[in-house]
Amino acid sequence: MNSNGTERKTLLAFLAAQRASVLAIVDGLDTQALTTAVLPSGWTPLGLIEHLGYAERHWFQEIVTGAAEPLPWPDGHAPLTTPREPQVVFAFYDDQCRRSDAVIARTPLCAPPQGRHPEPLGDELADLRGIIMHVIEETARHAGHLDIARELLDGRTGLGPR
């Protein structure tokens, strides 16, 4: 395997690990807990999972490829909350992650984005490699948020695989 293949494999492994952490942290929460805001900002665990689905869609479809299919619903609710049922949100997140993986598989790591994210972050991410790193960072950051919410909801800690 060449160094580009090794790097891609490493980046995908870290991305998959962060995605798995997010899901492990919320595993076992019922609908009430998933839709309960425990911090003053008002976000909910389920809303954060939906947000991560939007992030996958934005970065790997809208930015890397320059296009994404329309969303199946309007998006007019409060940020980091959702009116959708848990199974719909988890299916959306899973679908967006699979689509992201397909984009990553067929795109060179050095490929420049076809879409444009606003500055300053848009200027910092010049290729697929940087975008993958950003999504790893964003997913890990939100996994930490979910860790805190889970502890406040039911006292459980240390639920992610890493």
Side-chain angles (χ1 to χ4, degrees):
M1 183 181 296
N2 64 28
S3 62
N4 190 40
T6 301
E7 182 180 11
R8 181 185 310 272
K9 183 178 176 182
T10 300
L11 290 169
L12 282 171
F14 275 87
L15 181 56
Q18 292 307 317
R19 291 169 175 165
S21 289
V22 162
L23 296 174
I25 292 163
V26 299
D27 186 46
L29 291 177
D30 62 18
T31 300
Q32 182 176 350
L34 285 168
T35 57
T36 297
V38 295
L39 296 170
S41 57
W43 65 268
T44 65
L46 193 62
L48 194 54
I49 299 295
E50 186 174 278
H51 167 76
L52 286 169
Y54 286 129
E56 293 269 350
R57 178 180 182 273
H58 172 72
W59 286 107
F60 293 113
Q61 294 172 58
E62 293 175 340
I63 302 303
V64 172
T65 71
E69 293 179 21
L71 290 167
W73 50 66
D75 190 30
H77 55 278
L80 303 175
T81 66
T82 181
R84 285 167 272 291
E85 295 294 320
Q87 65 272 15
V88 173
V89 172
F90 286 109
F92 172 70
Y93 183 57
D94 180 65
D95 181 55
Q96 297 310 305
C97 290
R98 282 188 284 107
R99 289 173 186 250
S100 297
D101 289 347
V103 169
I104 293 167
R106 69 176 182 262
T107 307
L109 291 176
C110 62
Q114 299 301 302
R116 183 86 176 119
H117 185 82
E119 295 177 15
L121 192 54
D123 288 339
E124 295 173 20
L125 302 175
D127 58 18
L128 175 61
R129 176 183 291 104
I131 291 169
I132 296 170
M133 292 294 295
H134 173 71
V135 175
I136 291 168
E137 172 189 46
E138 181 169 358
T139 306
R141 179 179 184 204
H142 290 318
H145 294 134
L146 289 167
D147 273 333
I148 293 164
R150 181 68 187 251
E151 184 173 356
L152 291 170
L153 284 164
D154 66 7
R156 297 200 56 204
T157 62
L159 298 175
R162 287 190 158 207

